[in-house]
Amino acid sequence: MNRHKILVCDDDTGILEVIKIILEENNYEVKTSSTGKGIQKAILSFAPDLIFLDIWMPGMDGKEVTKLLKKDTLTKNIPIIIISALNNTKDISEDIGANGFLPKPFTIENLLKIVEANLPK
């Protein structure tokens, strides 16, 4: 059985590392990026089943990246989950067309629940 691929983009390398470890321990293939720049190239080469995006990142932020990906016919169907410590993360994720959000700080259970809910069965 093929493992699901998850791309995680966050400028906080500590968060990237934690998410990567949790997901890999749960048998997901994970690629990480600490910047929004070049994400389209990473998506085309890695072909993720799910994307986690931080809102605030250098280069191109998560809002811009989400809007770009949702307009592109090749990437518009990939679920995007916004991760942020902002109080209005839910509103922002809905405004930009993301599939959901994960508030920081998060629990392992919440992370895995969101992954399961957004991956193709």
Side-chain angles (χ1 to χ4, degrees):
M1 186 182 120
N2 280 349
R3 296 190 312 162
H4 284 293
K5 295 178 176 183
I6 301 174
L7 178 63
V8 185
C9 301
D10 196 313
D11 60 341
D12 183 329
T13 52
I15 294 218
L16 281 181
E17 199 53 39
V18 167
I19 292 176
K20 183 177 169 79
I21 290 167
I22 293 167
L23 294 177
E24 285 180 342
E25 283 179 355
N26 284 275
N27 208 28
Y28 295 107
E29 190 176 333
V30 182
K31 185 176 178 82
T32 61
S33 174
S34 57
T35 160
K37 228 178 157 144
I39 189 171
Q40 285 171 300
K41 209 159 80 176
I43 288 168
L44 293 175
S45 64
F46 183 59
D49 300 300
L50 177 64
I51 301 168
F52 279 95
L53 267 181
D54 185 22
I55 291 178
W56 304 114
M57 287 188 296
M60 188 184 272
D61 73 16
K63 291 188 274 192
E64 291 175 80
V65 172
T66 300
K67 288 176 184 173
L68 269 175
L69 295 177
K70 290 299 182 181
K71 279 185 199 158
D72 189 323
T73 53
L74 292 172
T75 56
K76 70 179 182 187
N77 294 321
I78 302 171
I80 298 174
I81 306 301
I82 297 297
I83 46 179
S84 176
L86 294 173
N87 290 336
N88 60 342
T89 304
K90 181 180 191 287
D91 297 334
I92 292 170
S93 65
E94 288 171 359
D95 288 347
I96 60 175
N99 299 77
F101 70 99
L102 178 66
K104 293 178 191 175
F106 55 85
T107 63
I108 293 172
E109 292 78 24
N110 267 2
L111 174 65
L112 294 175
K113 213 181 281 180
I114 285 176
V115 168
E116 286 298 314
N118 286 279
L119 281 175
K121 302 292 175 244

